[in-house]
């Protein structure tokens, strides 16, 4: 595949969840008109506070959820609205997801060897059990669990959290994916282990030219990991840019709050507004009820995108208004 061609593209993707309770229906827009592209070998970080729609975006990319509207293009082909059969199997092989909880992603009754050999056999990456065993050893070594023979017969509870996350990563590599969604892969690990896992992911990206969506709450982790950062707030991308460029001049008021929180080591994220509902979904800026710079236009009109500098865009009336 052409290295400059996007591996995955989301075009105007929205995701609505409908909750039915006694006598009423409530719609939640977890994503609104999200545009995003990831190229081979590129790490894109999706940053935002809890409930902003990061995991929903990751689940759509991983083929675990389907968009309510919009288009997903993978390796140049537009995906059908519902993947099924061999097409779904092939997609799951090429696009893999790592979850934040290394405990829940491993079955406690099976050995590490079983967890690694299963995808190798299901996806026919290995033609026999003997070949799968050999490949499983290679995967353990690729994620730094050496000698591999020491780990193959262990049960998940016999490993540390960091080792379990390494097994989780080895397992997703079994199918030789082109794209990884890493959904807060270090947030449940001790601080001392986080950098190890981040470095492992970067190393695998370099060796395998993997495209990666790296989901995080943490701007500093995003900076460390990503070529580009996209900041998400209440289902919308509000700012995006090359990591160094964006962080040297954060422009959206929400990104500025995230940056201040980082430097002052506080959350700054008290009284998070509830998820966007259909009544307010198309009205005004999603950040208007918290923004210190709010203007009249902010509550009535969705802002346009404006270029701050090359490789850096922001979705805010402060930059798109002439006033
Ligand atoms: N299956 C679902 N049914 C109904 N609402 C959902 C569902 N999944 C997510 N949501 C809602 O969509 C919004 C976005 O959720 P999402 O999990 O994508 O956020 P997030 O940014 O990953 O948050 P966190 O940082 O806490 O993981 C939230 O308001 C959430 O309650
Ligand atoms: S559009 Fe208006 S309310 Fe929204 S972030 Fe910009 S200034 Fe604030
Ligand atoms: Mg999440």
């Amino acid at each position: 595949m052409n290295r400059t061609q996007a591996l995955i593209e989301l075009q105007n993707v929205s995701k609505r969840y409908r909750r039915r309770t006694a006598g009423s229906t409530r719609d939640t827009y977890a994503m609104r008109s999200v545009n995003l592209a990831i190229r081979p070998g590129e790490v894109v970080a999706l940053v935002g506070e809890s409930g902003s729609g990061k995991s929903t975006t990751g689940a759509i990319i991983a083929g675990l959820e389907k968009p309510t509207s919009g288009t997903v293009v993978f390796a140049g082909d537009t995906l059908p609205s519902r993947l099924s059969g061999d097409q779904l199997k092939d997609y799951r092989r090429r696009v893999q997801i790592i979850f934040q909880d290394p405990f829940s992603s491993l079955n406690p009754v099976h050995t590490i060897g079983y967890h690694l050999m299963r995808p190798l056999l299901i996806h026919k990456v290995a033609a026999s059990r003997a070949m799968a065993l050999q490949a499983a050893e290679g995967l353990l070594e690729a994620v730094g669990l050496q000698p591999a023979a020491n780990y193959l017969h262990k049960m998940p509870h016999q490993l540390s959290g960091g080792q379990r996350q390494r097994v989780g990563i080895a397992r997703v590599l079994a199918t030789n994916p082109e794209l990884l969604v890493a959904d807060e892969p270090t947030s449940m690990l001790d601080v001392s282990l986080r950098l190890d896992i981040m470095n492992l992911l970067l190393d695998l990206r370099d060796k395998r030219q993997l495209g990666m969506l790296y989901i995080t709450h943490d701007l500093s982790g995003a900076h460390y990991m990503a070529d580009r950062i996209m900041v998400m707030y209440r289902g919308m991308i509000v700012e995006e840019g090359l990591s160094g460029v964006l962080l040297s001049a954060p422009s959206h008021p929400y990104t500025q709050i995230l940056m201040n929180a980082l430097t002052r080591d506080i959350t700054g994220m008290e009284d998070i507004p509830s998820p966007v509902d259909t009544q307010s979904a198309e009205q005004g800026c999603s950040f208007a009820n918290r923004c210190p710079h709010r203007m009249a236009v902010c509550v009535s009109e969705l802002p346009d995108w404006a270029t701050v500098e090359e490789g850096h865009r922001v979705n805010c009336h402060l930059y798109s208004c002439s006033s």
Side-chain angles (χ1 to χ4, degrees), residues 154-165:
K154 288 210 160 121
M155 305 302 283
H157 74 269
Q158 294 176 296
L159 303 185
S160 68
Q163 288 171 334
R164 264 190 291 256
Q165 191 56 293

Side-chain angles (χ1 to χ4, degrees), residues 111-126 128-137 139 152-153 170-171 174:
T111 63
I112 302 308
Y114 173 91
H115 281 97
L116 297 180
M117 286 167 65
R118 195 160 183 266
L120 288 162
L121 292 166
I122 286 178
H123 290 281
K124 298 190 171 52
V125 180
S128 66
R129 287 190 64 79
M131 287 166 79
L133 185 62
Q134 199 178 13
E137 288 179 353
L139 288 169
L152 281 172
H153 302 290
R171 193 164 57 148

Side-chain angles (χ1 to χ4, degrees), residues 255-269:
T255 316
Q256 290 169 352
I257 289 177
L258 289 179
M259 279 294 274
N260 288 342
L262 193 68
T263 49
R264 285 187 285 144
D265 198 25
I266 56 164
T267 69
M269 286 297 133

Side-chain angles (χ1 to χ4, degrees), residues 50-51 53-56 100 183-184 215 217:
S50 190
K54 305 180 300 295
S55 292
T56 304
Q100 65 185 127
D183 191 350
E184 308 212 39
I215 293 174
H217 283 91

Side-chain angles (χ1 to χ4, degrees), residues 15-86:
K15 177 68 184 175
R16 184 193 62 213
Y17 289 110
R18 180 155 285 175
R19 282 186 214 155
R20 289 193 177 82
T21 47
S24 75
T25 306
R26 185 177 170 80
D27 286 343
T28 299
Y29 272 86
M31 290 168 74
R32 289 195 285 162
S33 302
V34 169
N35 289 292
L36 174 160
I38 305 173
R39 283 179 282 278
E42 184 183 39
V43 181
V44 173
L46 192 56
V47 186
E49 65 202 15
S50 190
S52 57
K54 305 180 300 295
S55 292
T56 304
T57 306
I60 283 184
I61 290 179
L64 302 175
E65 291 279 0
K66 69 183 184 75
T68 306
S69 61
T71 305
V72 181
V73 180
F74 180 69
D77 294 326
T78 299
L79 297 184
S81 56
R82 187 181 287 279
L83 281 167
S84 60
D86 285 348

Side-chain angles (χ1 to χ4, degrees), residues 156-206:
H157 74 269
Q158 294 176 296
L159 303 185
S160 68
Q163 288 171 334
R164 264 190 291 256
Q165 191 56 293
R166 283 174 190 268
V167 171
I169 295 169
R171 193 164 57 148
V172 303
L173 294 178
T175 63
N176 229 348
E178 293 151 67
L179 181 65
L180 274 189
V181 174
D183 191 350
E184 308 212 39
T186 65
S187 62
M188 295 190 74
L189 299 178
D190 286 350
V191 175
S192 59
L193 295 172
R194 290 184 186 170
L195 201 59
D196 290 348
I197 295 296
M198 287 159 99
N199 286 335
L200 170 63
L201 289 171
L202 288 176
D203 186 46
L204 293 169
R205 180 277 298 266
D206 292 343

